[in-house]
Amino acid sequence: MSGLRASEIREILKVTERPEVISFAGGLPTPELFPVEAIKEVNRLVLEEAGTKALQYTTTEGFPPLRKWIAERMNKQLGTHLDPDHILITHGSQQALGLSGKVFLDEGDVVLCESPTYLAAISAFRAYGCEFIEIPTDEEGMDIEALEKIVTTNDKVKAVYVIPDFQNPTGRTWSLERRKQLAAASRKYGFVVIEDNPYGELRFEGEFLPAVKAFDTEGNILCTGTFSKIFCPGYRIGWIAGDKELIRKYVLAKQGTDLQCNTIAQMEIAKYLELYNIDEHIDKIRETYRIRRDLAIRTMEQYFPEGVTFTRPEGGLFAWIELPAHINAREVLEKSLEENIAFVPGGGSFFPNGGHENTFRINFSNMPEARIEEGLQRLGKVLEGFI
Amino acid sequence: MSGLRASEIREILKVTERPEVISFAGGLPTPELFPVEAIKEVNRLVLEEAGTKALQYTTTEGFPPLRKWIAERMNKQLGTHLDPDHILITHGSQQALGLSGKVFLDEGDVVLCESPTYLAAISAFRAYGCEFIEIPTDEEGMDIEALEKIVTTNDKVKAVYVIPDFQNPTGRTWSLERRKQLAAASRKYGFVVIEDNPYGELRFEGEFLPAVKAFDTEGNILCTGTFSKIFCPGYRIGWIAGDKELIRKYVLAKQGTDLQCNTIAQMEIAKYLELYNIDEHIDKIRETYRIRRDLAIRTMEQYFPEGVTFTRPEGGLFAWIELPAHINAREVLEKSLEENIAFVPGGGSFFPNGGHENTFRINFSNMPEARIEEGLQRLGKVLEGFI
């Protein structure tokens, strides 16, 4: 158990359940866009058409029509070359990370990650006793030269973990060139890449880019995905895509973990994809989040004091704030909570090796525009007191 | 990955998907009793009443009304003293085992288990690098004296894993006395007990017995449960009950593993428990399986050759067959498959340290009576050829 620690976000979320709190702490999709009526309909249809099959055990790999849709979608959106046998359905993309730890990591192994990186990936991997080395990361992604220096001098490196699209927590997106460079380095040095892609469909502007996985020639690169951000998270249906031999290992790991994903949830999503136009649905989500991002950026520009900088994400759910080096975001959080405003401090959360106490993350996907404006104005005032 | 291996049952299940095969290999509940119409109704109601909440993220611990029902049910049926905070909702009881491995086991630790024991528990625990010592087990449960001898001489023992009710694979049930003895030994030596109880509700005859957990005074005993056998397995909703401090560790382990269980599945089951009488439903399942067990036993008595012995389970889904020592059940399986009959050989499946090639398991819950009779008659003929 020594490797496990609380997910700080979930703890803050509990504090922020009071309705008067304006919370930028979570990472929740906006619920008013969940297709409730369509889900009622597909539940009814699946139970009428498939009957008891939808309620029985099924294969670990997952429901074949859903795996087929995912492979085709990834090929179209991300430039991959997958067929359904490359896909394992997982209990959210979080399970794809947990299983990655189980498949690849032993005590003392090293995982290379962006700096900062996704909090729950740190805990998923750390449970298997690994260490992290953070690779310097800029607007275009990881510094691949810095990565290569570590790979060639540290024989404990087992895997590289990246979120190239609208990263959690920074909202940053890797350039095409860096994607190609990471794939080339993986080819050259033989390390595994775990490419986490929960937000990739939620692009507000600019061109969709191919996944790192699209440049995989050796079968060393795995790529996750999820229905949580484009359909609803309560179903807990995500996936991992990879080389068939590797996916076979994930299947064995999943059998010991929990046998299989929810049968009827998989069938309902497949039925939804058959009957409804998910692109139209995703367009609605993208448009809603784009408006909220625009407003968040505008409000921060107007009300955050000089010396505070922030990212301008082209998609996803998050933006990342850097304060002048002497300000501690945990102290800001304490003051903010007095004003009923919450966010997640970067130090102690998104940096596996600590530091960076002057940073924090905000989520802009999950609240009405008026609250975003009101909340960030209030937060601006709190920040004034620290400058 | 070195610790993982294929679930043999799942592999055999694939072979036996052809409709002409009469398969005693699975462990599936009988689908015609799944409450399809009720599930349609509770899905509709949950989406109408709870709306988008049912589709959003929720807490790792699980849906509070469901945890309350489980605590009360266990207290009533199993003699425990639990409140909702003692319960974590898991992705089937299989995940309760997977998380137990994650929480307790490190490379080289020893798990004590019944001989034989549940195949997928072996793979769940072995993934964390543990070794198994099988404790001699008779009609009344583990030989507690033998267990104490090992506990007092082997300081690598971390946990004891048992299935006291209608065990998988033998169908055996522990006596009250052995339950008390195991709890007393846990108290005396401080080891953890993982009591797996997926079948306990399915008693056909005799009195319900208290769980080992009912005699836990030190908080060392954890007990699993599941809706898979009394409702439907496709929802993947089970639980683990234990001391609050331990459950807290399981919650952290689950956060890194997959964040939480399916939200709407938990709410639908809670709504079903509110609106329908699950005791009447369980009575139907028990009656159906009792008839099938009776028929299986009668048919084996009549058609299995002398020298073949089998258990007469008081509940659950499985019976266990022992052949004369010189007969290898794998060879019997090869011949049986030629006659379109399948089962799971004991050797290589249910004994973590091998041996016992003259044993096999049959499932009697998942097929119409005519097929049970036909299948076991044919199997009897195959067995004749080996005597």
Side-chain angles (χ1 to χ4, degrees), chain A residues 176-197:
Chain A
L176 179 60
E177 193 51 32
R178 292 284 176 89
R179 291 167 196 244
K180 288 181 183 171
Q181 285 173 357
L182 178 60
S186 159
R187 194 176 309 130
K188 186 167 174 191
Y189 302 107
F191 57 77
V192 163
V193 175
I194 298 157
E195 179 180 21
D196 197 8
N197 186 22

Side-chain angles (χ1 to χ4, degrees), chain A residues 9-242:
Chain A
I9 293 182
R10 295 220 146 207
E11 297 311 311
I12 297 174
L13 281 178
K14 275 188 190 167
V15 178
T16 60
E17 268 169 13
R18 286 174 291 141
E20 68 271 24
V21 174
I22 300 181
S23 175
F24 299 98
L28 278 62
T30 199
E32 75 270 17
L33 295 181
F34 296 158
V36 177
E37 289 307 315
I39 288 174
K40 250 190 238 171
E41 174 72 4
V42 295
N43 176 273
R44 191 179 62 74
L45 286 172
V46 165
L47 285 173
E48 267 166 26
E49 293 167 13
T52 54
K53 267 200 186 157
L55 304 172
Q56 186 59 289
Y57 287 110
T58 183
T59 58
T60 303
E61 289 83 352
F63 187 53
L66 191 61
R67 296 165 73 206
K68 181 164 180 282
W69 185 90
I70 291 165
E72 288 169 359
R73 182 80 177 184
M74 288 184 71
N75 293 344
K76 183 177 147 232
Q77 294 281 103
L78 299 171
T80 53
H81 311 278
L82 302 168
D83 63 50
D85 289 344
H86 291 109
I87 310 293
L88 167 68
I89 304 294
T90 57
H91 195 65
S93 56
Q94 182 68 32
Q95 186 179 49
L97 304 182
L99 292 178
S100 297
K102 199 170 181 183
V103 168
F104 291 114
L105 300 178
D106 292 309
E107 193 80 29
D109 284 343
V110 167
V111 173
L112 306 185
C113 64
E114 291 159 284
S115 180
T117 190
Y118 172 48
L119 187 151
I122 300 173
S123 53
F125 298 152
R126 193 170 264 159
Y128 296 91
C130 72
E131 306 289 326
F132 292 89
I133 298 177
E134 297 167 47
I135 306 295
T137 310
D138 62 25
E139 298 301 316
E140 294 195 41
M142 264 183 186
D143 177 339
I144 303 294
E145 220 169 281
L147 176 138
E148 288 185 323
K149 252 180 220 156
I150 290 168
V151 170
T152 49
T153 55
N154 187 325
D155 62 2
K156 288 289 194 184
V157 173
K158 201 64 131 336
V160 177
Y161 171 71
V162 295
I163 313 155
D165 291 276
F166 323 125
Q167 200 234 19
N168 183 355
T170 63
R172 283 176 188 149
T173 295
W174 286 38
S175 68
L176 179 60
E177 193 51 32
R178 292 284 176 89
R179 291 167 196 244
K180 288 181 183 171
Q181 285 173 357
L182 178 60
S186 159
R187 194 176 309 130
K188 186 167 174 191
Y189 302 107
F191 57 77
V192 163
V193 175
I194 298 157
E195 179 180 21
D196 197 8
N197 186 22
Y199 318 110
E201 293 270 2
L202 305 179
R203 181 174 271 284
F204 314 145
E205 62 192 37
E207 260 177 68
F208 282 92
L209 295 172
V212 178
K213 174 73 185 156
F215 307 108
D216 181 20
T217 53
E218 312 300 308
N220 286 338
I221 303 177
L222 293 126
C223 185
T224 80
T226 181
F227 288 101
S228 292
K229 307 301 186 286
I230 58 172
F231 186 69
C232 65
Y235 271 58
R236 313 304 302 122
I237 299 292
W239 65 87
I240 188 152

Side-chain angles (χ1 to χ4, degrees), chain A residues 256-280:
Chain A
T257 300
D258 62 12
L259 299 182
Q260 57 155 98
C261 284
N262 184 307
T263 314
I264 187 167
Q266 296 180 66
M267 293 176 82
E268 286 182 39
I269 294 176
K271 179 59 73 179
Y272 176 89
L273 296 167
E274 182 193 325
L275 297 184
Y276 294 84
N277 184 336
I278 197 165
D279 286 310
E280 280 177 16

